[in-house]
Amino acid sequence: DMAAYSAKNAGGDRMSLYSEGMEEFNRARAAMAIDLKTAVRKGQLELLYQPQNETSTRKLKGFEALLRWNHPERGLIMPSEFIPIAESTGLILELGNWVLEQACRQAATWPETYTVAVNVSPMQLAQDTLPLQVAAVLGRTGLSPKRLEIEITESGLISDQHHALKIVQELKDLGVCVTMDDFGTGYSSLATLQAFPFDKIKIDRGFVMSLTSNEQSAAIVKSTILLGSSLRIPVLAEGVETEDQLSFLQEEGCEAVQGYLFGKPLPHAECLKLMRTDPTYFARSTLRKKQA
Ligand code: C2E
Ligand code: MG
Ligand code: MG
Ligand code: MG
């Protein structure tokens, strides 16, 4: 019958469109993987820095380093596009090393009160070498370990928990802070929190986004802040965009915030400017002391 015929026909067309689409997608991915191989060497990678502030005082405390790829033909490429490719090709190990080195080198030029947070991917954690690499980078750059935070998502901890725990412990022994990123979005956030000695919890942007419009999100954020305070682990809320969200987080006693309300990820030069206008910037305070 006609309906079945046209449905079948449409289905057939869809199938060929689908496979053409897939082919195109795979071609683009393969091309990207080839370009990504030389991106570090060609100086196409850049770290942007997003402010992290104390909730109660709004004071600037530090920055999260976020990776960008400035592709000569494709323009700016976001991590959601190229990190998965870097992971599946193993290139993430080289990229991750570059990120660590660059973030520590730049942060070492900042006033000592500011911290830098660096994202580490599951494959980096799966190696034995991460703590040694971190120690070497800290030694080379002179950055104090207590100013470095390593952000880990739950997906980096599930494949071999025993190994991951050893790595996390070694990082902590170096004196760096280890943070659980995207809390609440993983497979078993509470079990992960119990198994790993995190120094900080970051509530995922997804919950913060709908905080003032959705009762479930509000309840989850509230409970996470309470959980953090019971466990004596400071909580940071990511993706804070409005004053209403900030008020809620202030009332609930969330320690730190990050989001467009305080600033988008900035190029390093802009991040330096922001620190210079910050009242806690050491140059200003020593200047003021001298003038007094
Ligand atoms: P993440 O670590 O959870 O980083 C937070 C993401 O939320 C960043 O996206 C940031 O730009 C975005 N964001 C922060 N505040 C707001 C806000 O108020 N509104 C909105 N709409 N977005 C906000 P970005 O830079 O695109 O990074 C996405 C993810 O890519 C990161 O999520 C992280 O998982 C990964 N990533 C970024 N840089 C690196 C890196 O150097 N290494 C690794 N392994 N992963 C990285
Ligand atoms: Mg992060
Ligand atoms: Mg996050
Ligand atoms: Mg996130």
Side-chain angles (χ1 to χ4, degrees), residues 64 66 119 151 181-182 202 238:
E64 180 179 15
L66 294 160
N119 293 286
E151 294 195 0
D181 203 352
D182 301 342
K202 286 184 88 170
E238 60 179 17

Side-chain angles (χ1 to χ4, degrees), residues 8-221:
K8 198 175 158 200
N9 212 18
D13 285 342
R14 259 203 305 277
M15 271 315 284
S16 76
L17 269 180
Y18 173 77
S19 54
E20 273 168 38
M22 273 311 281
E23 246 173 65
E24 179 57 36
F25 179 78
N26 288 334
R27 254 199 304 278
R29 257 182 94 96
M32 215 187 247
I34 289 168
D35 291 349
L36 196 54
K37 250 186 219 167
T38 58
V40 170
R41 186 158 46 76
K42 291 179 177 165
Q44 295 168 354
L45 297 181
E46 182 185 5
L47 286 181
L48 300 186
Y49 293 93
Q50 187 176 33
Q52 297 183 325
N53 296 60
E54 190 172 68
T55 313
S56 56
T57 60
R58 292 174 173 253
K59 249 173 42 188
L60 180 64
K61 302 303 279 181
F63 296 87
E64 180 179 15
L66 294 160
L67 189 57
R68 298 292 182 268
W69 181 12
N70 298 303
H71 192 283
E73 284 115 40
R74 291 165 199 258
L76 177 71
I77 308 181
M78 299 299 281
S80 57
E81 271 192 80
F82 67 88
I83 296 278
I85 296 174
E87 296 244 8
S88 63
T89 54
L91 276 171
I92 192 70
L93 297 179
E94 194 194 333
L95 293 195
N97 272 339
W98 181 86
V99 167
L100 204 55
E101 181 93 31
Q102 178 77 346
C104 291
R105 195 165 292 289
Q106 294 187 316
T109 70
W110 306 347
E112 278 172 21
T113 46
Y114 302 108
T115 55
V116 66
V118 174
N119 293 286
V120 159
S121 85
M123 196 183 277
Q124 286 174 278
L125 268 177
Q127 313 295 307
D128 289 319
T129 45
L130 186 65
L132 266 174
Q133 279 163 349
V134 170
V137 169
L138 290 172
R140 273 199 296 279
T141 60
L143 186 75
S144 161
K146 61 176 194 291
R147 294 178 56 203
L148 177 63
E149 297 178 7
I150 299 287
E151 294 195 0
I152 300 172
T153 55
E154 195 182 337
S155 57
L157 303 168
I158 43 179
S159 61
D160 183 350
Q161 269 224 7
H162 180 75
H163 179 262
L165 191 57
K166 179 174 154 269
I167 299 296
V168 166
Q169 195 52 60
E170 286 175 14
L171 288 170
K172 283 181 60 110
D173 291 344
L174 291 174
V176 310
C177 167
V178 180
T179 301
M180 182 171 183
D181 203 352
D182 301 342
F183 182 85
T185 62
Y187 174 70
S188 178
S189 294
L190 293 178
T192 305
L193 193 58
Q194 188 187 40
F196 290 85
F198 291 109
D199 300 296
K200 192 185 276 188
I201 298 169
K202 286 184 88 170
I203 307 180
D204 190 67
R205 181 158 65 86
F207 302 112
V208 177
M209 207 163 58
S210 48
L211 189 59
T212 50
S213 59
N214 180 299
E215 279 176 38
Q216 279 74 25
S217 302
I220 289 166
V221 170

Side-chain angles (χ1 to χ4, degrees), residues 202-277:
K202 286 184 88 170
I203 307 180
D204 190 67
R205 181 158 65 86
F207 302 112
V208 177
M209 207 163 58
S210 48
L211 189 59
T212 50
S213 59
N214 180 299
E215 279 176 38
Q216 279 74 25
S217 302
I220 289 166
V221 170
K222 220 168 150 166
S223 309
T224 307
I225 297 166
L226 191 62
L227 180 63
S229 90
S230 311
L231 296 171
R232 294 190 179 74
I233 304 174
V235 174
L236 178 148
E238 60 179 17
V240 178
E241 295 186 356
T242 68
E243 288 291 342
D244 284 351
Q245 291 165 347
L246 181 65
S247 308
F248 181 99
L249 295 163
Q250 269 166 344
E251 266 161 45
E252 297 304 326
C254 182
E255 276 80 2
V257 282
Q258 178 183 343
Y260 293 174
L261 183 64
F262 290 92
K264 293 201 168 174
L266 304 165
H268 188 239
E270 298 289 316
C271 148
L272 289 173
K273 267 191 218 157
L274 189 67
M275 285 185 280
R276 280 192 209 108
T277 58

